[in-house]
Amino acid sequence: MQNANDIANLRKEYKKHSLHETEVRSHPIKQFDMWFKEILEVTELEANAMTLATSVEGQPSSRIVLLKGFDERGFVFYTNYQSRKSREMLANPKASLQFFWPELERQIRIEGEVRKVSEDESDVYYGKRDRGSQIGAWSSPQSEVLHSREELERIVAHYSEEFKEMETIPRPEYWGGWRLKPHRMEFWQGRPSRLHDRILYSLEGEMWKIERLAP
């Protein structure tokens, strides 16, 4: 087991890039787009992985999900609408996202309101999934207790048989997309001596205010 003192002494000096408020784009989505293109030049390995945090009754919960699209309307991801995260977003339609890209020593924190995407959008994305993932959407009672792995495999076998003659598998009504519309985005760039650059975008009316935060 790792000694606690060894963990406390883990250090990494950040010195690859800098970030100045006079150099960023006027709109945070454009800034995100620029940084996202830059991380894809370095690695495509789960570059779209992000932490989704939700909260009900004061108890936050988080998990990794995959970004599947973004534009000025917000950031889109897909899941089971009966999952814990979906139930929590239905109860409290406020959530946050976080990206961590150690290759560029960067983080992005996003806060905003969530709502379901249109059924047409969910249909289009579902249609692009591979057949195994489509069957998986039907098979998983996400976040519910299973008695065994074999129980899940029996459900998968059932739907595999049910859809085996169908060229196109329909999307389950309980599966689809969410979009987080941001009202706050923070871009974090690691710097030496823990004196990091933090640039905050805050939505005021229809305009984005840009400020520097202390590291």
Side-chain angles (χ1 to χ4, degrees):
M1 181 178 293
Q2 183 86 37
N3 184 283
N5 291 328
D6 294 336
I7 294 174
N9 290 326
L10 289 176
R11 291 283 189 273
K12 175 178 172 57
E13 191 75 348
Y14 300 115
K15 52 187 177 181
K16 290 185 176 181
H17 301 280
S18 62
L19 184 64
H20 197 276
E21 55 268 39
T22 62
E23 301 170 345
V24 297
R25 304 295 178 88
S26 60
H27 196 290
I29 301 298
K30 293 180 179 179
Q31 181 67 29
F32 179 90
D33 181 59
M34 182 175 72
W35 270 23
F36 193 70
K37 289 175 180 175
E38 290 178 2
I39 189 62
L40 290 179
E41 291 176 358
V42 176
T43 180
E44 293 185 359
L45 181 61
E46 306 291 24
N48 60 332
M50 57 188 183
T51 300
L52 166 68
T54 56
S55 177
V56 288
E57 298 180 353
Q59 175 59 60
S61 63
S62 63
R63 73 288 289 161
I64 301 295
V65 298
L66 297 179
L67 177 70
K68 290 301 180 179
F70 68 91
D71 55 28
E72 292 192 0
R73 296 174 297 168
F75 298 83
V76 176
F77 56 95
Y78 292 84
T79 189
N80 188 312
Y81 286 144
Q82 298 172 351
S83 65
R84 176 181 176 180
K85 56 184 169 294
S86 288
R87 295 196 304 267
E88 292 184 346
M89 288 186 290
L90 287 170
N92 176 19
K94 295 182 179 179
S96 66
L97 304 172
Q98 182 168 9
F99 293 85
F100 177 49
W101 295 325
E103 298 87 353
L104 295 177
E105 300 172 348
R106 289 173 175 171
Q107 298 182 64
I108 303 174
R109 299 169 61 194
I110 306 168
E111 299 175 10
E113 297 187 358
V114 287
R115 63 176 59 187
K116 292 180 180 179
V117 305
S118 69
E119 292 189 5
D120 287 344
E121 287 179 89
S122 291
D123 287 340
V124 168
Y125 174 71
Y126 182 82
K128 295 178 180 178
R129 303 184 97 204
D130 64 84
R131 192 173 182 86
S133 295
Q134 290 178 338
I135 291 174
W138 280 94
S139 303
S140 174
Q142 196 173 109
S143 301
E144 298 300 320
V145 173
L146 292 173
H147 297 295
S148 66
R149 176 73 188 189
E150 289 71 24
E151 180 182 0
L152 177 61
E153 292 172 352
R154 285 194 296 270
I155 301 173
V156 172
H158 166 77
Y159 283 111
S160 297
E161 178 67 22
E162 180 173 332
F163 295 128
K164 71 176 183 179
E165 303 297 334
M166 298 177 63
E167 182 176 348
T168 301
I169 299 176
R171 176 180 61 87
E173 292 183 357
Y174 52 80
W175 190 97
W178 288 93
R179 175 178 285 106
L180 185 144
K181 181 179 181 180
H183 58 245
R184 181 183 175 98
M185 291 181 63
E186 179 190 324
F187 293 80
W188 180 99
Q189 177 66 62
R191 296 296 303 275
S193 302
R194 299 298 187 261
L195 298 175
H196 311 303
D197 289 327
R198 297 174 61 190
I199 302 300
L200 174 66
Y201 291 77
S202 302
L203 187 61
E204 296 186 350
E206 297 183 358
M207 301 294 293
W208 286 96
K209 181 179 181 180
I210 302 175
E211 299 173 295
R212 172 175 288 270
L213 301 180

